[in-house]
């Protein structure tokens, strides 16, 4: 059984059956009948076959199973109908009033009705289904009454036999009932799988009309008119075409169901039963008044009575439904009131003139008014005068049935409302038209004072600093753009200020105390600037001042100097201690071609220049400052690239024993060849220190020099290595480990390595520096103080730090034999070194008399151009091989 069902599901089987049945119908039609009827029958059969084939093919491609089933029912109904029409000419000669062909045709009509009902996109349920059935009865009964008065009554008179009349009339009545029953499932266009539903309904209507004509002709003993068959082919061809448009209509139906045109069409369909009742009543009255009502009066009377009964029941049902809907509306409004009251909203009813009719109790809690004070008054009396015109315009728009942006019948407004205490409260309100037909508006009002205050606070925090309360960087940048965009902006100036030494404050007393100090500094600076100047905290310990209209350049400079004095005039009191700070200030002036970003940058560059020069000073921006900054940035980038591309080389300057002329050590010096261009060390060592690249560069020098000197020592040359340390290198996290690793990798004994530091390093971060150098000394590495005599704390640290060597600064050596004071100072340093048991090395020996004086003073070692210039590693090897016991000729 299952396999048979599957076969009939196959469209090819169904199409083959349709073709066979069409052929049977055509053969039967050709067997008899008049030529015109024959042609009409052939056309109807062919159109029905085409519709069946089209519906079967379209159903195969439909994804929706319900609609695919509807299409198959319609196709099966078309096939069955064409068979009934095809064989009817053969059965017309029989003595039976109702033939087998009539039964087949009625079965096909029933199948078409089922398919039409299934084609609805949204079938009716519950009350809607009952309403559709009532409307179907009214329509069918009204049409029957009209048909009885115009056609069936005279036919009944001529037939004479009531039984024959009833049997002949059964087929068209059955078709009429089916057509009206399924009509209301597809006639509201929002329900139809358009255009298949209406097309199928048109086929049913044509079949009903054809059956009515056939029945009347049989009762009169005549042949049906030749033209009655021609609407049927047209209707079936329409159905065949509609089968391929239904799928796209499904996608459109949801959208079109809410369109105004769709709603209007649905309203017209709902009025069809009433129109038919009116038409039937009018026809009956005309016939009665004209005295031409034929046939039994009881038939139209009974049918009319059933219509009245259905309409009365429908009326009572409508009244009950209306009452229920009104109660639901009232309940909804009450729930809306309760909901609004529970959220703190004030609910009121007013007319379009603003007169208050009702108001909720929440108005007393929110605004301080008693409800009875407001009823009868106008809402405009409590709205801020500046907001009244906008509210009146909104109410006028709603009264004219204009649909606001928010949606149909809804208007949202923001205004200020006066509370009972006289304050103006920002509010947000929504007005909605009453749905009960009353000329009133339902208004819900919410006090948004808290939200407004929060928004203002957020806006303030967005453009103000939370620590100092001053405008922040974003506000300052925006304000600068506005000022420079105005005419006469060339008189504007920007002042940048940085607190010198503020980092030490955070490190010593903590960030909370640092923030407190920033607040004190902000108050001092605020008192020092003019009221129309913009003072902002730029970030960290930096502040910025915008002079919107400086009278002249001296005005901005005077302000900058006043700010320096304000900061350094007296200490700041923080955490029960006095902290003295100074300030570095930069000034930049606007001109016609400078942007706000460039002006701020220029002031920042000038401030950085003031800080480089020692702080507590004012610097005015000059073009070369920006060029210097750009050069430094480019140099920093080139330094990083040079490290990656191995552009650095090491040269070694020999250190000799002045007594024996033997090379005892070499000092490793870094050189940079940028391509074929030599970059002097004084040009790149400073930027390398500032950017931190000095750390990886120094580690590379340490590894390479240790490896080279270890190789020379392996060749039985007792030679040591000296290296200069930078401040950043000493404070690097793994500094001691990197030295230990370089010694282990190269095999150089720690005692052969001497690390040199300058006196300034021992003064800054003294405790940490001495600790790390002591760790190196613990490894066996020797320590030396470079440029001895130029610092401030040499003697103190000679006691704390186990130094092995001091190196006399070249500035002392250069004056030997020419300056008695420098000669005396040099002699004193040499004697001090001997007394402390230290090795004394003189740097910068360039003249023979300098060498002789150093020997005479008893200086241990020396280096300089007179002894040997810095050279590459192969040069050192040659020098070691050729140098025996004397210095170069002429020394």
């Amino acid at each position: 059984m299952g396999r048979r069902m599957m076969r009939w599901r196959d469209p090819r089987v169904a199409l083959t059956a349709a073709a066979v049945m069409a052929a049977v119908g055509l053969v039967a039609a050709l067997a008899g009948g008049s030529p015109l009827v024959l042609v009409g029958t052939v056309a109807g059969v062919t159109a029905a076959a085409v519709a069946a084939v089209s519906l079967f093919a379209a159903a195969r491609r439909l994804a929706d199973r319900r609609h695919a089933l509807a299409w198959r029912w319609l196709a099966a109904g078309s096939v069955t109908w064409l068979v009934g029409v095809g064989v009817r000419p053969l059965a017309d000669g029989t003595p039976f009033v109702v033939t087998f062909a009539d039964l087949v045709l009625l079965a096909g009509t029933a199948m078409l009705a089922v398919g039409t009902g299934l084609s609805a996109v949204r079938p009716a349920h519950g009350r809607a289904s009952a309403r559709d059935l009532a409307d179907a009865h009214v329509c069918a009964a009204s049409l029957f009454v009209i048909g009885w008065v115009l056609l069936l009554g005279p036919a009944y008179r001529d037939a004479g036999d009531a039984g024959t009349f009833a049997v002949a009339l059964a087929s068209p009545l059955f078709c009429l009932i089916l057509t009206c029953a399924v009509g209301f499932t597809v006639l509201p266009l929002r329900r139809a799988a358009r255009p298949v539903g209406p097309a199928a309904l048109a086929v049913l209507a044509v079949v009903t009309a054809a059956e009515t004509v056939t029945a009347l002709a049989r009762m009169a003993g005549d042949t049906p008119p030749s033209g009655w068959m021609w609407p049927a082919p047209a209707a079936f061809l329409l159905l065949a075409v509609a089968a391929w448009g239904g799928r796209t209509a499904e996608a459109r139906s949801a959208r079109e169901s809410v369109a105004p045109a769709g709603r209007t069409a649905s309203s017209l369909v709902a009025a069809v039963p009433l129109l038919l009742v009116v038409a039937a009543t009018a026809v009956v009255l005309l016939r009665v008044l004209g005295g031409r009502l034929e046939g039994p009066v009881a038939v139209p009377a009974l049918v009319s009575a059933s219509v009245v009964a259905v309409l009365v029941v429908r009326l009572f049902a409508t009244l009950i439904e209306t009452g229920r809907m009104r109660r639901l509306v009232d309940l909804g409004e009450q729930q809306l009131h309760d909901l609004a009251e529970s959220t703190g909203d004030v609910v009121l009813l007013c007319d379009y003139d603003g007169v208050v009719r009702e108001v909720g109790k929440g108005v007393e809690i929110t605004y301080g008014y008693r409800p009875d004070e407001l009823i009868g008054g106008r809402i405009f009396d409590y709205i801020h005068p500046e907001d009244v015109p906008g509210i009146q315009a909104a109410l006028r728009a709603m009264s004219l049935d204009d649909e606001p942006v928010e949606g149909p019948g809804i208007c949202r407004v923001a205004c200020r409302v006066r509370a009972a205490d006289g304050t103006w409260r920002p509010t947000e309100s929504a007005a909605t038209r009453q749905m009960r037909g009353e000329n009133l508006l339902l208004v819900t009002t919410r006090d948004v004072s808290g939200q407004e205050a929060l928004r203002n606070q957020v806006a303030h925090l967005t453009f103000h600093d939370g620590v100092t309360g001053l405008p922040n960087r974003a506000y300052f940048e925006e304000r600068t753009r506005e000022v420079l965009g105005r005419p006469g902006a060339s008189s504007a100036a920007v002042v940048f200020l940085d607190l010198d030494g503020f980092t030490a404050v955070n490190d010593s007393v903590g960030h909370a105390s640092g923030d407190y100090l920033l607040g004190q500094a902000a108050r001092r600076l605020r008192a020092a600037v003019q009221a129309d100047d913009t003072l902002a905290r730029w970030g960290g310990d930096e502040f910025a001042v915008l002079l919107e209209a400086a009278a002249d350049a001296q005005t901005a400079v005077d302000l900058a100097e006043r700010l320096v004095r304000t900061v350094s005039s007296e200490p700041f009191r923080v955490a029960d201690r006095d902290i003295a700070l100074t300030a570095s200030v930069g000034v930049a002036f606007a001109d016609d071609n400078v942007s706000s970003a460039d002006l701020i940058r220029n002031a920042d560059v000038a401030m950085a220049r003031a800080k480089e020069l020692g702080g507590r000073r004012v610097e005015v921006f000059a073009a070369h400052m920006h060029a210097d900054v750009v050069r430094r940035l480019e140099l920093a980038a080139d330094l990083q690239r040079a490290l990656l591309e191995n552009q650095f080389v090491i040269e070694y300057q020999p250190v000799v024993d002045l007594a024996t002329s033997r090379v005892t050590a070499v000092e490793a010096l870094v050189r940079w060849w940028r391509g074929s261009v030599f970059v002097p060390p004084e040009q790149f060592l400073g930027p390398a220190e500032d950017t931190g690249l000095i750390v990886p560069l120094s580690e590379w020098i340490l590894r390479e020099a240790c490896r080279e000197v270890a190789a020379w020592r392996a060749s039985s040359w007792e030679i040591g290595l000296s290296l200069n340390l930078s401040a950043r290198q000493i404070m690097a996290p793994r500094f001691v480990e990197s030295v230990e690793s370089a010694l282990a990798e190269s095999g150089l004994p720690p005692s052969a390595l001497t690390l040199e530091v300058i006196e300034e390093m021992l003064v800054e971060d003294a405790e940490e520096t001495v600790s790390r150098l002591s760790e190196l000394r613990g490894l066996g590495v020797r320590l030396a103080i470079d440029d001895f005599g130029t610092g401030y704390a040499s003697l103190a640290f000679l006691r704390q730090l186990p130094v092995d060597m001091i190196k006399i600064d070249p500035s002392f050596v250069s004056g030997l034999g020419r300056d008695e004071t420098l000669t005396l100072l040099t002699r004193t340093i040499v004697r001090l070194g001997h007394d402390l048991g230290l090795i004394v090395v003189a740097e910068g020996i360039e003249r023979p008399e300098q060498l002789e004086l150093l020997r005479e003073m008893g200086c241990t070692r020396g280096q300089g151009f007179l002894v040997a210039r810095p050279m590459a590693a192969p040069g050192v090897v040659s020098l070691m091989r050729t140098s025996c016991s004397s210095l170069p000729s002429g020394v």
Side-chain angles (χ1 to χ4, degrees):
M1 184 68 180
R3 291 183 178 178
R4 293 178 181 176
M5 292 298 297
M6 289 298 294
R7 288 176 183 173
W8 280 105
R9 283 176 175 268
D10 190 344
R12 290 173 295 180
V13 176
L15 296 178
T16 303
V20 171
M21 293 182 179
V24 171
L26 289 174
V27 170
L30 294 173
S34 65
L36 287 177
V37 173
L38 245 155
V39 173
T41 302
V42 171
V45 169
T46 304
V50 171
V53 171
S54 178
L55 287 165
F56 271 124
R60 188 179 182 183
R61 299 190 180 186
L62 278 179
D64 190 330
R65 293 185 177 182
R66 176 187 173 86
H67 291 157
L69 180 62
W71 267 235
R72 292 190 181 97
W73 273 100
L74 290 173
S78 301
V79 171
T80 307
W81 184 87
L82 71 87
V83 172
V85 170
V87 300
R88 174 172 275 180
L90 298 178
D92 282 342
T94 63
F96 303 104
V97 177
V98 178
T99 65
F100 172 75
D102 295 332
L103 296 177
V104 173
L105 192 145
L106 290 178
T109 304
M111 291 180 182
L112 288 172
V114 172
T116 304
L118 290 175
S119 68
V121 173
R122 293 185 289 180
H125 298 284
R127 293 187 179 90
S129 178
R131 184 173 58 250
D132 288 347
L133 289 177
D135 291 342
H137 175 80
V138 170
C139 289
S142 300
L143 290 174
F144 176 81
V145 170
I146 295 173
W148 180 272
V149 172
L150 298 178
L151 298 174
L152 300 180
Y156 178 84
R157 180 199 61 196
D158 297 337
D161 185 2
T164 303
F165 178 81
V167 172
L169 200 60
S171 177
L173 280 177
F174 179 72
C175 294
L176 176 64
I177 292 171
L178 289 179
T179 302
C180 291
V182 300
F184 286 93
T185 64
V186 295
L187 264 186
L189 299 183
R190 63 181 184 275
R191 295 183 184 176
R194 292 183 296 160
V196 171
L201 185 63
V203 170
L204 287 173
V206 169
V207 169
T208 301
E211 287 302 298
T212 302
V213 172
T214 301
L216 292 174
R218 284 179 175 177
M219 285 186 289
D222 298 331
T223 302
S226 59
W228 71 270
M229 285 296 294
W230 293 109
F236 276 106
L237 289 177
L238 178 64
L239 182 60
V241 174
W244 296 95
R247 289 182 289 117
T248 56
E250 290 178 54
R252 294 194 306 266
S253 61
R255 297 193 301 270
E256 293 175 348
S257 64
V258 298
R263 292 195 296 267
T264 303
S266 299
S267 301
L268 293 176
V269 170
V272 167
L274 182 59
L275 295 176
L276 289 176
V277 170
V278 172
T281 303
V283 170
V284 171
L285 286 176
L286 289 175
R287 285 285 182 164
V288 170
L289 293 176
R292 294 181 295 168
L293 186 61
E294 301 180 21
V297 179
V299 174
L302 288 175
V303 174
S304 300
S306 69
V307 171
V308 172
V310 170
L311 289 178
V312 169
V313 173
R314 175 76 180 274
L315 177 61
F316 276 107
T318 302
L319 291 175
I320 294 172
E321 183 70 15
T322 302
R324 187 179 70 86
M325 293 300 295
R326 181 174 291 277
R327 288 192 298 273
L328 288 177
V329 170
D330 293 339
L331 178 61
E333 289 184 356
Q334 185 60 44
Q335 290 176 343
L336 178 61
H337 286 191
D338 295 342
L339 178 61
E341 295 284 351
S342 66
T343 58
D345 293 353
V346 176
V347 182
L348 59 92
L349 286 175
C350 69
D351 57 23
Y352 289 100
D353 294 325
V355 178
V356 180
R357 301 296 179 86
E358 296 180 25
V359 64
K361 298 178 181 179
V363 69
E364 187 170 1
I365 300 174
T366 305
Y367 295 105
Y369 297 109
R370 295 194 310 274
D372 54 2
E373 294 181 37
L374 302 179
I375 294 176
R378 303 181 69 213
I379 60 174
F380 305 121
D381 298 334
Y382 303 93
I383 296 176
H384 196 282
E386 295 178 359
D387 301 332
V388 169
I391 304 299
Q392 291 175 333
L395 293 181
R396 282 196 301 270
M398 295 190 71
S399 67
L400 295 175
D401 289 334
D402 292 339
E403 292 189 356
V405 177
E406 296 291 337
I410 300 177
C411 177
R412 299 186 185 275
V413 294
C415 62
R416 290 160 289 180
V417 174
R418 188 181 71 247
D421 58 5
T423 60
W424 292 103
R425 309 275 187 87
T427 63
E428 292 179 353
S429 303
T432 309
R433 296 189 184 97
Q434 280 288 84
M435 290 185 284
R436 289 181 295 182
E438 301 177 15
N439 198 25
L440 296 176
L441 294 174
L442 176 65
V443 181
T444 59
T445 299
R446 174 174 298 178
D447 183 1
V448 293
S449 301
Q451 295 91 317
E452 189 71 18
L454 181 60
R455 279 195 294 267
N456 293 336
Q457 183 180 2
V458 170
H460 180 82
L461 293 176
T462 302
F463 292 103
H464 287 77
D465 175 52
V467 174
T468 63
L470 296 175
N472 60 11
R473 176 174 179 170
Y475 180 89
F476 190 84
E477 289 177 337
E478 182 63 28
R479 183 61 182 165
T480 305
R481 278 194 292 270
E482 291 178 3
V483 171
L484 293 187
R486 298 188 312 213
S490 58
S491 61
V494 171
V495 177
F496 251 58
L497 180 145
D498 180 86
L499 299 177
D500 300 328
F502 179 77
T503 303
V505 177
N506 283 335
D507 296 340
S508 59
V509 297
H511 287 274
S513 298
D515 290 345
Y516 179 70
L517 187 149
L518 288 173
Q520 294 184 55
R523 288 191 290 273
R524 290 190 190 182
L525 297 175
R526 179 72 270 179
V529 301
Q530 299 296 325
D532 55 351
D533 296 336
T534 300
L535 172 65
R537 183 188 177 197
W538 187 254
D541 59 346
E542 295 181 358
F543 296 85
V545 182
L546 173 64
L547 286 78
E548 299 185 8
D552 50 29
Q554 190 59 41
T555 302
V557 175
D558 291 344
L559 172 63
E561 293 176 346
R562 187 164 64 251
L563 295 177
V564 173
R565 291 194 298 271
T566 299
V567 171
S568 57
S569 60
E570 58 178 313
F572 294 91
R573 187 69 178 173
V574 178
D576 297 329
R577 68 181 70 182
D578 291 333
I579 297 177
L581 294 179
T582 60
S584 301
V585 181
V587 183
F589 297 98
D591 57 40
D592 294 335
N593 299 319
V594 70
S595 65
S596 60
D598 290 342
L599 179 60
I600 294 173
R601 180 206 62 199
N602 293 345
D604 192 11
V605 169
M607 181 268 292
R609 178 62 177 166
K611 206 168 186 67
E612 286 178 7
L613 296 176
R616 196 173 183 174
R617 61 185 295 144
V618 176
E619 284 291 321
V620 178
F621 175 78
H624 70 84
M625 293 182 181
H626 181 242
D628 292 343
V629 172
V630 172
R631 266 197 306 273
R632 282 191 206 169
L633 290 175
E634 293 175 349
L635 187 60
D638 291 342
L639 277 170
Q640 195 163 15
R641 192 178 305 109
L643 271 174
L644 297 174
E645 297 177 359
N646 298 319
Q647 296 179 9
F648 293 103
V649 297
I650 300 176
E651 291 186 351
Y652 301 91
Q653 186 172 29
V655 179
V656 301
D657 187 325
L658 296 183
T660 64
S661 301
R662 185 177 63 85
V663 177
T664 60
V666 291
E667 182 178 359
L669 304 172
V670 66
R671 299 291 183 259
W672 181 15
W673 288 91
R674 195 189 311 183
S676 60
V677 179
F678 174 73
V679 183
E682 59 270 15
Q683 291 187 11
F684 69 84
L685 288 180
E689 180 81 18
D690 295 338
T691 58
L693 291 173
I694 193 68
V695 175
L697 177 59
S698 299
E699 291 180 355
W700 175 80
I701 297 171
L702 176 64
R703 290 194 305 271
E704 289 298 312
C706 287
R707 182 183 58 78
E708 196 72 57
V709 173
W712 293 337
R713 290 177 66 87
S715 301
S716 302
W717 295 340
E718 290 297 325
I719 189 171
L721 172 64
S722 293
L723 283 172
N724 291 292
L725 295 179
S726 69
R728 276 184 179 266
Q729 186 182 9
I730 294 175
M731 302 308 297
R734 295 182 54 82
F735 166 59
V736 177
E737 290 83 351
S738 66
V739 175
E740 188 175 8
S741 174
L743 292 173
E745 290 176 2
S746 63
L748 183 70
S751 59
L753 176 62
T754 302
L755 297 178
E756 304 176 6
V757 295
I758 60 175
E759 295 178 82
E760 284 78 3
M761 296 181 192
L762 301 176
V763 176
E764 299 176 3
D765 257 337
E767 186 176 346
E768 182 68 21
T769 302
V770 170
S771 172
R772 295 201 172 198
L773 292 178
S774 298
E775 289 185 50
L776 291 176
R777 193 67 181 83
L779 295 176
V781 176
R782 297 187 175 190
L783 300 177
I785 297 180
D786 197 12
D787 299 337
F788 187 83
T790 60
Y792 306 98
S794 299
L795 296 179
F797 282 99
L798 285 176
R799 181 176 57 83
Q800 298 179 24
L801 191 64
V803 176
D804 301 283
M805 181 185 302
I806 58 174
K807 302 185 74 171
I808 304 174
D809 188 73
S811 62
F812 293 99
V813 177
S814 64
L816 291 178
R818 296 178 179 177
D819 188 313
E820 293 182 2
T821 302
L822 291 177
T823 302
L824 179 59
L825 288 173
T826 304
R827 189 182 300 278
T828 302
I829 294 173
V830 173
R831 185 180 300 118
L832 175 64
H834 287 167
D835 292 343
L836 295 175
L838 303 177
I839 299 173
V840 180
V841 180
E843 295 183 288
I845 304 174
E846 298 181 354
R847 302 192 310 274
E849 62 267 27
Q850 295 171 339
L851 179 61
E852 291 303 327
L853 282 173
L854 289 171
R855 279 176 171 171
E856 184 264 326
M857 294 176 186
C859 183
T860 311
R861 298 178 184 176
Q863 65 184 97
F865 286 177
L866 181 65
V867 177
R869 290 176 174 271
M871 59 190 71
V876 176
V877 174
S878 299
L879 178 64
M880 294 292 292
R881 288 175 177 170
T882 58
S883 176
C884 296
S885 61
S886 61
L887 293 173
S889 176
V891 176

